[in-house]
Amino acid sequence: MAKRGGFPGGGMGMPGNMNNLMKQAQRMQRQMEESQKELETKEFTAKAGGGAVEVMVSGKKEIVKVVLSQDVVDPDDVEMLQDLIVAATNEALRMADEASANMMNKMTGGLGGLTF
């Protein structure tokens, strides 16, 4: 009588290779979660306007702090101040994204877009 379905050479359980693969995937998932928590505690700071505006964001991509030089606060040119805040914020967020991408690359070790 021929066997139907299942894995070649296996009984009712998972064969050794599949079991090892599952354990590795679970270990990688735990490591990714730990790394993500660590990333969320980091802060990324960017400046604009020669340091007149400084924005700090967390790894959670939340603005933590905005520091403005008194020189940049010009009631007649509010638009420039707004642009500098946006520029510094976007750069700090880009830095946080880059750190997250680097962490993912280290974790996946070149799995090339393989998702779980």
Side-chain angles (χ1 to χ4, degrees):
M1 189 176 232
K3 289 185 182 179
R4 292 187 195 194
F7 295 102
M12 297 297 282
M14 284 189 206
N17 287 345
M18 182 60 109
N19 196 20
N20 287 341
L21 185 61
M22 292 300 288
K23 286 180 182 179
Q24 287 175 339
Q26 290 170 344
R27 189 175 326 123
M28 182 183 284
Q29 184 176 2
R30 279 193 306 274
Q31 289 172 341
M32 289 174 82
E33 288 169 359
E34 290 169 8
S35 294
Q36 186 64 38
K37 286 179 186 176
E38 182 181 326
L39 180 68
E40 289 175 358
T41 65
K42 293 186 178 187
E43 294 175 337
F44 304 89
T45 303
K47 297 179 181 183
V53 173
E54 179 179 311
V55 175
M56 179 185 293
V57 299
S58 71
K60 292 180 181 182
K61 298 181 185 173
E62 296 173 341
I63 296 174
V64 176
K65 180 169 72 170
V66 175
V67 179
L68 306 175
S69 165
Q70 286 185 338
D71 300 337
V72 78
V73 183
D74 180 355
D76 295 326
D77 197 2
V78 173
E79 199 171 303
M80 180 189 68
L81 177 57
Q82 293 169 339
D83 290 344
L84 291 173
I85 292 170
V86 168
T89 302
N90 285 335
E91 177 61 16
L93 289 171
R94 187 200 60 72
M95 293 166 66
D97 283 341
E98 187 175 295
S100 179
N102 287 338
M103 184 261 310
M104 288 301 292
N105 285 337
K106 286 179 186 175
M107 294 302 302
T108 58
L111 290 177
L114 183 62
T115 57
F116 294 94

